Amino acid sequence: MAHFPRRPQTGIHVLIVGAGFAGIAAAIECDRKGHSVVLLEKAADVEEITRFGDIISFDPNGARNFERWPGVIEAMSKVARKTTWLDLYHWKGEFVTRQSFADEKSWGPRINGHRGELYSIIYQHAVDRGVDIRWGQRVTDYFEDGDKAGVSVNGEQMVADVVVAAEGVRSRGRKIVLGFDDKPKSSGYAVYRSWFSGDAIKDNPMLKHLVDGDSHSGFIGPDLHFLVSSLKDGKEFNWVFTHVDDGNIEESWQFPGRVEDCLKYVEGWAPIVQEIVRSTPKGARLIDHKLVFRDPLPTFISPKQRIALIGDAAHPFLPTSIQGASQSIEDGVVLAACLELAGKNNVTMAVQAYEKIRYERVHKAQATGVKTRERWHKANWDEIAKKPESIHLAREAWLLNFDAEQDCYERFDQVAKDLRGGKARL
């Protein structure tokens, strides 16, 4: 096992449920900060998590945390998309504007790549650190008292000082936090996503320029936006589009997609958009993903402050925010830091401080997804002709030029003081 820098051992035992990006990042951060951590995942093995997936994005506020994990950002950079721009087009095909992200370099790295590939890099780092990751662990219930929290897993009980629910929008941890079972609602939108080899289109006269090196383009239209990119010098290619949808998501929210269904949504769009969809190889992964909406939670923590929700379990994001993954990383960073700063005798105060530090920022970040979707789907093209940059993604320093760990270290003492004095309120 490789040697990695760690803070002094705190004696705090943390149990994390869910080994997705939020959970595994929280486990790494807990290990960095000297906590004893066990990570439980219902999947049978890591291949079950990494074998599928498509594009995922980490903006500077999320990716900067990978720089603290030796070797991780370097490995990610080798497989990430190299573009520093986004080319935006009218849905009929006319080029409108190029948005450059080059000036954001001083804010930190941007990482866009295959979900499974980037996860594998983080997972390997966790393994190298010696993080205790247990596969095939099905958690059926959460519980807590004044001294500990725990879960029922595979018919047995496990306890810890803190339990972290990181298993997504259907986390069973939400029930103990809210006091009731809440069900996901349809957001009214869904996403088709596909990923395949660039070889499938490299000889297509209409599309071959898209895989001549890395590329990143978006087509904006009524109630639909279509994004396409290539990476690894055009060796891999992906497309994704968000559209209005009235599908029911009571039981499942992800289904195999069909090219013929996708083509109906882009009927009348630019020929290149239709050709991209039409050129999706048979057998390529194509997913119809229903976007789940959850009412903003009144709290991220349980009544006895021993259980915390992080990532999508606490705050699912729309893809147009480009912040879901980054905010989940921030969650784990802040929770681990709060536990470190509070110490073993003040675990419940640490959990409350985590919520206080994260709550407002997370909800402000969530709102950016709705704003971007509306800016694109309800675009006024007469106004855009006068000011093309009005359809650029909002890239704001308060969100992106942000170090969650540093912010926590700077704010913690005051937040803790307010909590002790009963002044801290969400």
Side-chain angles (χ1 to χ4, degrees):
M1 184 174 67
H3 173 74
F4 294 100
R6 289 180 177 84
R7 313 286 164 79
Q9 293 298 303
T10 62
I12 298 172
H13 296 276
V14 183
L15 188 60
I16 301 174
V17 182
F21 282 100
I24 201 163
I28 290 169
E29 283 297 305
C30 283
D31 182 73
R32 276 186 71 229
K33 293 176 172 65
H35 315 319
S36 172
V37 60
V38 175
L39 179 57
L40 305 177
E41 170 54 47
K42 67 180 179 181
D45 52 38
V46 67
E47 286 75 21
E48 191 173 326
I49 291 180
T50 59
R51 72 169 63 107
F52 299 125
D54 45 68
I55 198 79
I56 191 170
S57 300
F58 295 95
D59 269 333
N61 59 301
R64 68 161 61 228
N65 296 286
F66 303 146
E67 294 180 312
R68 298 185 173 111
W69 305 346
V72 169
I73 199 71
E74 294 82 0
M76 286 182 166
S77 296
K78 291 177 182 177
V79 298
R81 192 175 64 222
K82 301 181 183 74
T83 57
T84 57
W85 67 86
L86 169 62
D87 288 333
L88 292 167
Y89 295 80
H90 183 279
W91 61 286
K92 287 292 189 179
E94 176 189 357
F95 175 76
V96 179
T97 179
R98 167 170 284 196
Q99 179 173 5
S100 173
F101 307 117
D103 290 344
E104 297 175 15
K105 190 172 183 180
S106 64
W107 294 353
R110 293 171 61 247
I111 296 292
N112 300 273
H114 189 276
R115 181 180 298 265
E117 199 161 28
L118 297 181
Y119 182 88
S120 293
I121 292 168
I122 297 175
Y123 169 73
Q124 188 57 54
H125 177 70
V127 170
D128 291 344
R129 296 190 74 96
V131 173
D132 185 353
I133 305 173
R134 304 181 188 181
W135 301 94
Q137 306 296 304
R138 187 165 296 276
V139 170
T140 54
D141 198 16
Y142 287 72
F143 58 87
E144 66 176 345
D145 59 29
D147 300 317
K148 63 184 180 300
V151 295
S152 299
V153 53
N154 292 355
E156 299 181 353
Q157 290 191 341
M158 291 183 67
V159 297
D161 296 308
V162 181
V163 173
V164 181
E167 71 275 55
V169 292
R170 298 197 175 206
S171 168
R172 291 181 181 272
R174 290 174 65 96
K175 181 177 181 180
I176 196 167
V177 168
L178 294 174
F180 60 88
D181 274 321
D182 70 325
K183 293 187 176 181
K185 307 171 185 176
S186 172
S187 68
Y189 287 84
V191 176
Y192 280 106
R193 330 173 61 103
S194 189
W195 184 291
F196 50 88
S197 170
D199 288 346
I201 61 172
K202 68 181 178 62
D203 296 322
N204 186 312
M206 191 182 295
L207 305 181
K208 62 183 181 181
H209 67 284
L210 295 173
V211 290
D212 181 17
D214 291 7
S215 66
H216 190 200
S217 305
F219 295 80
I220 311 302
D223 287 326
L224 189 152
H225 65 272
F226 191 104
L227 299 173
V228 55
S229 71
S230 59
L231 63 167
K232 297 183 181 177
D233 297 321
K235 291 184 176 64
E236 297 187 15
F237 184 78
N238 64 93
W239 59 261
V240 53
F241 72 85
T242 299
H243 61 92
V244 172
D245 180 80
D246 59 0
N248 186 296
I249 48 95
E250 281 297 311
E251 296 301 325
S252 179
W253 66 94
Q254 187 164 287
F255 311 87
R258 300 190 306 170
V259 167
E260 54 266 37
D261 292 334
C262 297
L263 286 170
K264 293 174 185 175
Y265 283 100
V266 294
E267 186 176 350
W269 278 54
I272 187 173
V273 171
Q274 298 183 59
E275 185 65 13
I276 289 168
V277 175
R278 197 176 290 114
S279 297
T280 303
K282 288 184 179 179
R285 184 162 171 81
L286 173 57
I287 291 297
D288 177 11
H289 181 78
K290 309 301 181 184
L291 295 179
V292 171
F293 171 78
R294 294 278 195 177
D295 290 320
L297 298 185
T299 178
F300 296 160
I301 64 177
S302 60
K304 297 186 185 300
Q305 295 101 36
R306 292 274 177 180
I307 298 171
L309 305 178
I310 68 171
D312 283 352
H315 44 70
F317 273 70
L318 292 174
T320 41
S321 71
I322 324 176
Q323 273 292 306
S326 292
Q327 291 299 318
S328 73
I329 303 299
E330 287 190 14
D331 284 347
V333 167
V334 172
L335 180 56
C338 286
L339 290 168
E340 174 197 18
L341 294 168
K344 185 173 176 66
N345 293 330
N346 296 293
V347 165
T348 58
M349 192 268 285
V351 172
Q352 292 176 77
Y354 151 74
E355 178 184 52
K356 178 63 177 173
I357 290 171
R358 294 295 298 148
Y359 194 87
E360 183 179 349
R361 175 172 168 80
V362 163
H363 287 297
K364 190 176 176 183
Q366 277 181 302
T368 64
V370 177
K371 290 176 183 176
T372 297
R373 186 186 67 198
E374 293 304 297
R375 182 185 304 124
W376 283 356
H377 289 197
K378 312 300 181 189
N380 182 325
W381 290 103
D382 290 336
E383 293 300 316
I384 292 167
K386 301 172 190 174
K387 190 179 179 182
E389 63 272 19
S390 64
I391 58 166
H392 284 185
L393 291 167
R395 308 290 290 178
E396 298 175 283
W398 71 265
L399 181 59
L400 307 178
N401 188 19
F402 183 81
D403 185 331
E405 182 177 78
Q406 180 182 335
D407 177 71
C408 181
Y409 285 150
E410 291 174 354
R411 294 175 57 195
F412 180 83
D413 284 348
Q414 184 61 52
V415 170
K417 182 179 178 181
D418 291 345
L419 286 166
R420 291 189 184 101
K423 297 178 183 177
R425 294 289 185 271
L426 295 179

